[in-house]
Amino acid sequence: DVVMTQTPLFLPVTPGEPASISCRSSESLLDSHDGDTFVDWYLQKPGQSPQLLIYSLSYRASGVSDRFSGSGSGTDFTLKISRVESEDVGIYYCMQRIAFPRTFGQGTKVEIK
Amino acid sequence: QVQLQQSGPGLVKPSQTLSLTCTVSGDSISSGRYFWTWIRQNPGKDLEWLGYIYNSGSTYYNPSLSGRISISVDTSKNHFSLRLTSATAADTAVYFCARGGVDDSRGFFDLWGQGTLVTVSS
């Protein structure tokens, strides 16, 4: 299985400040056929189901604030929040879909300082 | 507006079968455009992809479940179901159904059920 490793696992943030989460995969998530990179990011807010934030490395899902951005290549990926707001608290997960079974990172818990 | 609504018992005895259903509203489960998927989250908050059903019959399961899992679909009720046999305490988790696109470019999970906490205990 493709192993997804996130850092940090806990991230205290200050409202208005930027924040970033890293994710590394055990093999490349670049699809050589069409050039897409199959990593997605999800946010699970307290008491809710996960929701899609970013798909295929850098595309924001419908309705997602432009404060969120995804970047990276191959095996190293980053989710950035340009200015953290209180509603951004929760657990962030990266997920690969280059192969089955799909696998997730361990999650990064983001809390307000 | 497409929605996924989960149902099923929240308590299962050890060695018995865990069964959950996910009803799709606002879309046809037979459209052939989606992998209808089950994912679970253990008490430590780790997410584990369990498997999917596609096109009313094709399935793929996580090998980690050692053949205990089956996913089926009832097109007349527009729902799909999860069965996990020989349940143990390790199967205690919140179970989610989700929709993932068949097309590689749309394979992300853009729609999730509300989650069902299933506890395996006598």
Side-chain angles (χ1 to χ4, degrees), chain A:
Chain A
D1 297 359
V2 179
V3 177
M4 304 293 284
T5 304
Q6 286 182 234
T7 55
L9 300 185
F10 178 69
L11 182 60
V13 296
T14 301
E17 295 295 306
S20 68
I21 299 168
S22 296
C23 177
R24 176 168 289 179
S25 58
S26 60
E27 58 187 77
S28 175
L29 303 187
L30 173 66
D31 182 5
S32 57
H33 296 292
D34 57 18
D36 277 343
T37 299
F38 290 141
V39 62
D40 308 320
W41 290 93
Y42 296 87
L43 164 61
Q44 185 177 32
K45 296 183 178 182
Q48 296 184 17
S49 303
Q51 60 187 80
L52 179 68
L53 288 179
I54 301 288
Y55 66 92
S56 299
L57 182 67
S58 60
Y59 297 92
R60 274 188 300 277
S62 177
V64 172
S65 168
D66 60 5
R67 295 183 296 102
F68 292 93
S69 64
S71 63
S73 64
T75 60
D76 288 283
F77 316 102
T78 302
L79 176 71
K80 293 182 179 177
I81 311 173
S82 59
R83 300 174 310 280
V84 172
E85 296 184 0
S86 58
E87 64 187 30
D88 301 335
V89 299
I91 305 175
Y92 291 77
Y93 297 93
C94 58
M95 186 199 80
Q96 65 79 20
R97 53 185 170 87
I98 196 76
F100 286 102
R102 307 306 197 211
T103 48
F104 295 85
Q106 316 96 300
T108 296
K109 188 172 186 179
V110 171
E111 289 186 352
I112 300 295
K113 282 182 182 176

Side-chain angles (χ1 to χ4, degrees), chain B residues 9-25:
Chain B
L11 181 63
V12 175
K13 287 183 167 51
S15 80
Q16 296 195 343
T17 297
L18 183 159
S19 297
L20 295 172
T21 294
C22 181
T23 301
V24 181
S25 59

Side-chain angles (χ1 to χ4, degrees), chain B:
Chain B
Q1 181 182 359
V2 184
Q3 292 184 324
L4 304 181
Q5 181 68 37
Q6 298 177 219
S7 58
L11 181 63
V12 175
K13 287 183 167 51
S15 80
Q16 296 195 343
T17 297
L18 183 159
S19 297
L20 295 172
T21 294
C22 181
T23 301
V24 181
S25 59
D27 193 8
S28 170
I29 204 168
S30 305
S31 69
R33 291 177 291 145
Y34 298 106
F35 293 128
W36 301 100
T37 301
W38 287 97
I39 294 165
R40 68 182 178 183
Q41 184 174 42
N42 67 17
K45 301 297 187 182
D46 297 321
L47 289 170
E48 180 181 23
W49 181 92
L50 302 181
Y52 71 71
I53 191 162
Y54 161 69
N55 213 20
S56 302
S58 299
T59 54
Y60 187 95
Y61 303 131
N62 194 324
S64 69
L65 295 166
S66 304
R68 296 191 297 125
I69 184 175
S70 64
I71 300 175
S72 60
V73 66
D74 186 332
T75 55
S76 67
K77 297 180 179 177
N78 216 41
H79 73 210
F80 63 107
S81 299
L82 168 72
R83 282 173 50 89
L84 191 61
T85 61
S86 305
T88 71
D91 295 314
T92 293
V94 177
Y95 287 76
F96 297 99
C97 59
R99 180 183 80 172
V102 171
D103 188 294
D104 282 346
S105 66
R106 307 288 298 178
F108 43 80
F109 300 118
D110 63 344
L111 190 64
W112 296 65
Q114 79 275 24
T116 302
L117 172 61
V118 178
T119 301
V120 180
S121 175
S122 56

